[in-house]
Amino acid sequence: QMDYPQNLSESDRQWYDLIQQCRTSGKSDRQWLNENNISSPTFYYHVKQLRKKACEIPTSLYSVISEKQDVVPMVIQDLPPEKNSTMISETYYRMESALGQLGAKIPRETMANWCIITARNYLLPVFVRLHEELLKRDIIHADETTCQVLREEGKDARSTSYMWIYSSGSDGLPGIVLYEYQPGRSGIYPQEFLNGFHGMLQCDGYQGYNKVNETLLICCSSHARRKFYEALPAEKKKTMKLLDINSPEAIREPEIPQTDLDNYIPAEIGVAYFNKLFYLERKFKDLAPEERQKKRMEQEVPVWENFFTWLGTLNPTRGSKLEKAVNYAQNHKDSSLTKNVIQMKIESLHY
């Protein structure tokens, strides 16, 4: 039974049914109207009238302006290569304007529907299959970032939503990166997405990941280092380089201050410890898992032990950025900075 908007006459309801059938048929308006012997002017008159009555009318899947259904690929194919690549990465309203100047008046809603239906029919099954494969891996990296969605049911357009990202590790198998939109940041979202995963979950210190069952949480050392870096004065940030384990350039082994400590601020020493660890990880990243495990035990464990011994001597000012850095490292010692984790054969502890 169709759930009709209020205050519609019997005639309006009949046209509402026809419009819904047309717009959900997967065909262009013109094709569907011709097959059903319905006059185009009459059809669009009722579309306009129903919209005036606050009815939600789906946008046409195809443009109805051109007589030729292949006008879009024809126009894009004839574009110069530099404009063709630019067109693909543009927003809908800009593509609508650019294509209109080329003689193809294609509403942005139509282009959006093309993408939505293509994703639903062809990409969603691929996503589902990749999700199944991802859950079989030994390690998954997870993170989340904010985004805004307009006209989302039950949410203000200015409210914050989240895009959750899950990726496989460098395990020699084909890489997998999946994005999942969710309206919030509750830990229930990674819990549901990762249901059935029993490996190592590498993430930041967000407590929501604790809801993921039957996994070993491995917190990312990059986040711990960032806290110390953020505690540096602006002048120090200009001269203190953060080492990247994936840098193709040769990196000089960083020094951890051992003497004349009064010449260094604590945040500077903290960053130096992590730079040392990142330097070692860069050396070990191409080793076989067993050899990498052995090198970590020999060279990284002493660095971690010295780091936490030094950390225990600090008495940072309450509410300072340094206090946040110290607390972050101490709170996540058991999930990311222990010998048990270092012994593991995962590709890197420092993402």
Side-chain angles (χ1 to χ4, degrees), residues 181-197:
Y181 167 79
Q182 291 292 354
R185 202 188 180 203
S186 169
I188 192 66
Y189 300 125
Q191 181 188 48
E192 291 178 348
F193 189 88
L194 296 175
N195 182 36
F197 173 64

Side-chain angles (χ1 to χ4, degrees), residues 241-288:
K241 183 177 180 181
L242 299 180
L243 299 188
D244 178 6
I245 66 169
N246 295 313
S247 172
E249 300 177 3
I251 299 175
R252 187 177 64 180
E253 183 171 1
E255 297 292 333
I256 300 174
Q258 302 292 341
T259 59
D260 300 325
L261 297 184
D262 292 339
N263 296 329
Y264 302 91
I265 61 175
E268 190 175 5
I269 298 175
V271 172
Y273 270 107
F274 282 103
N275 276 347
K276 177 74 171 183
L277 291 164
F278 275 65
Y279 170 80
L280 293 174
E281 278 297 309
R282 186 178 184 275
K283 288 177 58 179
F284 305 156
K285 70 175 184 177
D286 293 327
L287 298 178

Side-chain angles (χ1 to χ4, degrees), residues 70-120:
D70 57 354
V71 62
V72 180
M74 285 177 61
V75 169
I76 295 180
Q77 183 178 3
D78 290 340
L79 288 174
E82 63 275 9
K83 286 191 176 182
N84 199 332
S85 59
T86 302
M87 181 77 70
I88 293 173
S89 61
E90 283 288 5
T91 55
Y92 289 131
Y93 80 91
R94 288 185 175 176
M95 285 195 289
E96 179 183 22
S97 175
L99 290 171
Q101 295 175 18
L102 296 169
K105 296 181 180 180
I106 306 169
R108 66 193 74 171
E109 295 88 353
T110 298
M111 290 185 277
N113 278 339
W114 285 343
C115 288
I116 292 170
I117 291 179
T118 300
R120 182 189 65 193

